[in-house]
Amino acid sequence: MTAMKAERLREFSSAASAADSVAHDIAAALEAGLRERDVAVFAASGGSTPRPVYQALSGIDLDWARIHVVLADERWVDPGEAGSNETFIRETLLHDRAASARLTGLKSAHDGPQAGADAINARLSALPRPFDAVVLGMGDDGHSLSWFPHAQGLDQALNAKGPLACAITAHASAVTGVHTQRMTLTRAALNGVRRADLLTSGASKRAALEAALAHGPVADMPVRALLQDQHLPLTISWWP
Ligand SMILES: O=C(O)[C@H](O)[C@@H](O)[C@H](O)[C@H](O)COP(=O)(O)O
């Protein structure tokens, strides 16, 4: 991993050690937010990789009733339906000590994410900013959040000066499955975030990370927008 700045990559020997370390770092960021404001805000991605981190975080003693959890992205399905990130976050994070945290979802009753974008942005505008911590994942295709390669809406998603969330229509792939219609936080939602963790694990994610760090168009691997962002306090973690 020659191209990687060593200070930004943390390699762990196991999911358990990564989860413990990253969860405590996120908790520290949320505590700092609680000290400075009445509330703290944590943006959480779906995917299997963050699961052990959320499990560890849910066991940490924080004033969770003052913590808002917001989804980083959502498939256009209602809570309880297959593929719902909201349901995933409720099951993996919002239990144990974290049961009293408040959750802001990214799904509205509208027919599609384009129609729902204004309502979702109104919802997000009510949250304190900047956010205190964000957990990001990455797919083998180089997407992060719902910033999918060459997706409709990608330009808006990468805009640091526009709305906080936008609709995405992804090209169908093995990674998207049937869920090509999405709502995602944009780069603007990450402005000023105290801490950002990109979580990766396994050989294929390692290869994708290497590819993303190599020179190439952001639209081919939108995670590059995060990796190249000089204003984002991004820490990358990897474990086997
Ligand atoms: O909304 C989705 O389609 C997923 O949540 C997706 O964005 C996921 O975060 C990455 O594909 C990494 O997933 P894994 O961590 O399971 O590899």
Side-chain angles (χ1 to χ4, degrees), residues 46-50 73 75 85 137-139 143 145 148 175 182 205:
S48 57
T49 310
D73 70 318
R75 300 163 174 129
N85 276 341
M138 184 185 71
H143 86 271
L145 299 111
F148 282 92
V175 177
R182 310 281 187 125
K205 293 284 172 67

Side-chain angles (χ1 to χ4, degrees), residues 124-148:
L124 292 172
S125 297
L127 292 174
R129 274 177 291 124
F131 296 167
D132 295 288
V134 56
V135 159
L136 302 157
M138 184 185 71
D140 289 344
D141 59 352
H143 86 271
S144 189
L145 299 111
S146 277
W147 305 356
F148 282 92

Side-chain angles (χ1 to χ4, degrees), residues 91-109:
E91 290 175 354
T92 55
L93 177 62
L94 297 198
H95 62 95
D96 198 0
R97 291 173 191 261
S100 58
R102 283 172 276 184
L103 182 69
T104 297
L106 296 186
K107 173 71 171 64
S108 69

Side-chain angles (χ1 to χ4, degrees), residues 14-220:
S14 69
S17 59
D20 184 62
S21 176
V22 175
H24 279 90
D25 287 341
I26 293 169
L30 296 176
E31 268 177 345
L34 290 173
R35 276 196 303 275
E36 289 177 18
R37 304 185 291 201
D38 283 346
V39 296
V41 184
F42 174 42
S45 292
S48 57
T49 310
R51 178 189 289 271
V53 173
Y54 297 153
Q55 297 286 3
L57 196 51
S58 67
I60 295 178
D61 190 16
L62 289 170
D63 191 354
W64 283 101
R66 292 197 290 135
I67 295 176
H68 287 270
V69 177
V70 58
L71 298 185
D73 70 318
E74 182 62 287
R75 300 163 174 129
W76 204 250
V77 296
D78 284 326
E81 290 181 7
S84 164
N85 276 341
E86 177 166 338
T87 298
F88 170 77
I89 294 296
R90 286 192 188 283
E91 290 175 354
T92 55
L93 177 62
L94 297 198
H95 62 95
D96 198 0
R97 291 173 191 261
S100 58
R102 283 172 276 184
L103 182 69
T104 297
L106 296 186
K107 173 71 171 64
S108 69
H110 296 85
D111 281 346
Q114 287 80 9
D118 286 350
I120 299 300
N121 272 297
R123 206 183 278 180
L124 292 172
S125 297
L127 292 174
R129 274 177 291 124
F131 296 167
D132 295 288
V134 56
V135 159
L136 302 157
M138 184 185 71
D140 289 344
D141 59 352
H143 86 271
S144 189
L145 299 111
S146 277
W147 305 356
F148 282 92
H150 301 281
Q152 186 185 325
L154 181 61
D155 286 349
Q156 200 177 1
L158 300 180
N159 186 353
K161 294 184 176 158
L164 301 174
C166 74
I168 288 284
T169 301
H171 295 286
S173 71
V175 177
T176 65
V178 297
H179 301 294
T180 54
Q181 297 295 309
R182 310 281 187 125
M183 183 64 62
T184 188
L185 294 186
T186 65
R187 175 59 184 84
L190 307 183
N191 285 338
V193 67
R194 194 185 296 274
R195 175 173 191 93
D197 284 281
L198 178 62
L199 305 183
T200 65
S201 72
S204 65
K205 293 284 172 67
R206 184 79 182 218
L209 194 53
E210 299 277 5
L213 286 163
H215 187 69
V218 166
D220 285 358

